[in-house]
Amino acid sequence: MKNHLGREEGLGLRTLSVHGGERPDPVTKASAPNLVMSTTFVADPDAGFSVERMGADAPFVYTRWGNPTVAQLEKKLALLEKAESCVAFGSGMAAISALLLHSLASGDHLVISDVTYAAAAEMTNDLFPSLGIRVTKANMADLEALRAAMTPQTRLVYAETPCNPILRLTDIAAAAEIAHSVNAKLAVDSTFATPVATQPLTLGADYVVHSLTKYLGGHGDAVGGAILGRKDDLDVLRKRVAIRTGGILSPFNAWLIMRGLATFPLRMDAHQRGAMQVARFLEKHPQVTRVVYPGLPSHPQHELAARQMRNFSGMLTFQVRSGRQAARVFAERLTIIHYAVSLGHHRSLLFYIGTADMLETSFRLTPEQEASYREFGGDGVFRLSVGIEDGDDLCRDLDQALVA
Ligand SMILES: Cc1ncc(COP(=O)(O)O)c(C=O)c1O
C-alpha cells in the first residue's frame, strides 16, 4: 500500500497519522478522504454472490464486505501499528469477540489477564465457557503465573496492557515467548497504550486489538474497534468472522475516526504531559491515599513501563479514604472534568469503580486473585482519563472537589 507520497518506509508516526492510507480522490482530486456511505456498489455481472470466492483485491461489492472509507482507515491503522493488515469493527468489543471466535473452538483453552475491561472479563466468564472453551485468568504482571497457566490446549493468550482500570502492565516480549512455547498466539489489547507508546507486533505479539472509541478516535463521538496482525490470518478472519457475524464499522464512524487520527500523536503528547502533572499533584494531595500512573517512579512496574512505553498515556487511577462518598462530591463539584465513563477523549473524564461492583459483576476470581485485587483496590478506585486541557486547570478543578 502506498499513500500519495508513493512511499511509507521511514515515515514518522505523525506523517503516517496524517497521510497513511489516504490518497487524493483520483476523479475529483479532493484532498480530504471521501465519505462513501453507499451500502452497495455497481457490480461486475460475473461477480459471485458469496464472500467465499472474494479475492484480496476484489472490487467493492457490499459495505459489510468492504467499503472505501473503512478501507482507508484500516490501511492507516496498519501503518501506525506496523501490521500487515487490519480489520475494523463497530466497537472494541465487536473486535475482541471476533478475535476470540476466530482463534478458539470447543476444547481449546484461553488464558486472559485477570483484570481487563469489564465486558471482556464478563464475556470470558460466561459466553466462551458455554461454547466449550476453557478459560484461565492469570495475573500477567507475573510471568511465572502466566507460564503456570499454559497448557498444551492453550491456543490464545490475551493480555490487556496497561489494564483497565488498575494499570497493571504485561511484558509483551516475554508473554509472546511464553505463548509461543506451546504454539499459542498472543493478542494484546493496546487501547490504553496506543501505537505512540507501544507497537506490540514488533515485540512478538500476533494480534493487536483497539477500541477506536478511545485515544485513536479521540473525540468521544464515534464508537469503533480494530484487530491488527498478519495478512494471511486476517484475510481468513475477515471472511469467516467479520463479514458473517457482521459487526462491521459504519463508514461515517470510520471517517470521523480517521479525522481524529490525524492529530493523534499530538494529542498523546498532551495527554501524557497533563497526566504527569495531575499525577504529581494528586500524589502530594492530603486527601489522596494512592496514585497509580505508569509514568511515576512509584508505579510498581515503572521500569517495565519506561522500557515498553514511549509515552505513558493519559490514564491514571487514584484512591481517597471514602471513595463512594467522594464520587458523589466529584459528580456534583467538578466544573471541567466530566464525571463519566469512557476514556481517551480530548475532554477529561473521571469515574469511580467500586471494588465490590467489580468483583461481583466482572471478575469472578479465584480467592487468591480476589485477595490481590482487594489489596490493590481497597473500596475502589477513581479512573481518571486526563484530556488535553491545561494541566493547571485540571489540578484546580480536582483540588476544589477534593474536600475533606
Ligand atoms: C481496554 C479496553 N478494551 C476494550 C474496550 C471496549 O471498547 P468499546 O467500548 O469500543 O466496545 C474498552 C472500553 O472501555 C477498553 O477500555
Side-chain angles (χ1 to χ4, degrees):
M1 200 287 308
K2 289 188 189 328
N3 64 18
H4 72 278
L5 301 171
R7 61 189 164 83
E8 263 101 28
E9 242 114 276
L11 294 181
L13 221 62
R14 274 165 51 184
T15 308
L16 291 175
S17 295
V18 175
H19 293 283
E22 296 183 15
R23 239 176 307 180
D25 182 277
V27 177
T28 65
K29 308 292 181 196
S31 159
N34 284 340
L35 169 55
V36 179
M37 290 298 289
S38 187
T39 56
T40 193
F41 298 82
V42 175
D44 178 338
D46 296 324
F49 193 59
S50 162
V51 76
E52 204 61 62
R53 272 179 275 136
M54 181 180 85
D57 296 319
F60 296 106
V61 178
Y62 183 55
T63 275
R64 177 158 48 74
W65 298 18
N67 169 281
T69 308
V70 177
Q72 287 188 61
L73 170 67
E74 290 175 339
K75 284 175 187 166
K76 192 187 285 290
L77 290 169
L79 287 163
L80 293 175
E81 279 291 8
K82 292 196 188 323
E84 284 176 17
S85 187
C86 170
V87 182
F89 288 86
S91 69
M93 283 315 301
I96 295 167
S97 55
L99 179 60
L100 299 190
L101 279 174
H102 172 67
S103 305
L104 300 162
S106 176
D108 289 345
H109 178 228
L110 164 72
V111 181
I112 180 167
S113 301
D114 59 357
V115 181
T116 60
Y117 172 58
E122 287 159 1
M123 182 169 69
T124 51
N125 284 340
D126 298 330
L127 179 61
F128 282 85
S130 78
L131 300 175
I133 293 152
R134 202 160 72 76
V135 177
T136 300
K137 307 226 170 177
N139 174 357
M140 291 199 197
D142 176 352
L143 294 172
E144 285 320 305
L146 174 58
R147 211 181 301 278
M150 306 304 290
T151 74
Q153 287 73 43
T154 310
R155 296 275 68 85
L156 187 71
V157 174
Y158 182 97
E160 192 176 291
T161 181
C163 79
N164 186 355
I166 65 172
L167 303 172
R168 231 185 226 162
L169 270 58
T170 300
D171 182 331
I172 295 170
E177 229 180 275
I178 294 170
H180 296 160
S181 71
V182 299
N183 286 328
K185 288 186 172 168
L186 175 67
V188 174
D189 182 334
S190 195
T191 298
F192 275 33
T194 84
V196 162
T198 311
Q199 288 158 315
L201 300 174
T202 67
L203 299 173
D206 300 282
Y207 300 106
V208 182
V209 175
H210 281 288
S211 167
L212 304 176
T213 319
K214 317 298 185 207
Y215 287 108
L216 297 178
H219 294 75
D221 52 13
V223 177
I227 306 173
L228 298 108
R230 278 187 280 277
K231 184 176 179 331
D232 54 355
D233 197 12
L234 290 201
D235 282 352
V236 176
L237 183 152
R238 188 189 294 279
K239 274 191 192 176
R240 208 166 67 99
V241 185
I243 293 175
R244 293 201 175 124
T245 60
I248 52 102
L249 184 64
S250 136
F252 184 51
N253 278 16
W255 186 84
L256 284 172
I257 292 164
M258 219 169 353
R259 192 167 66 155
L261 268 170
T263 55
F264 143 74
L266 306 179
R267 285 188 280 107
M268 292 313 293
D269 281 350
H271 284 300
Q272 170 177 244
R273 211 170 326 118
M276 192 64 96
Q277 184 179 345
V278 170
R280 288 196 176 123
F281 164 78
L282 289 174
E283 251 193 342
K284 291 204 195 93
H285 200 286
Q287 299 299 326
V288 175
T289 55
R290 185 176 184 189
V291 181
V292 179
Y293 178 60
L296 288 178
S298 58
H299 189 286
Q301 296 168 288
H302 179 64
E303 181 276 323
L304 172 61
R307 181 156 48 86
Q308 188 167 273
M309 300 177 77
R310 289 181 295 263
N311 171 301
F312 296 120
S313 193
M315 297 305 301
L316 61 91
T317 60
F318 64 93
Q319 291 178 289
V320 299
R321 260 174 273 287
S322 174
R324 180 62 67 195
Q325 205 178 323
R328 291 191 196 107
V329 178
F330 273 130
E332 194 165 309
R333 290 186 69 119
L334 288 171
T335 59
I336 295 172
I337 300 167
H338 285 188
Y339 187 86
V341 295
S342 205
L343 55 107
H345 303 172
H346 56 338
R347 182 180 293 110
S348 291
L349 304 170
L350 176 88
F351 201 73
Y352 177 68
I353 302 171
T355 299
D357 286 356
M358 301 266 278
L359 294 175
E360 278 156 25
T361 59
S362 295
F363 296 126
R364 267 184 251 152
L365 307 177
T366 63
E368 298 76 30
Q369 288 168 329
E370 180 166 335
S372 106
Y373 192 81
R374 279 196 189 282
E375 188 187 304
F376 180 94
D379 73 340
V381 296
F382 284 95
R383 184 184 69 189
L384 176 59
S385 170
V386 177
I388 61 171
E389 305 96 331
D390 289 297
D392 289 348
D393 291 335
L394 298 177
C395 291
R396 267 195 296 272
D397 199 23
L398 287 163
D399 195 37
Q400 60 81 30
L402 272 165
V403 287

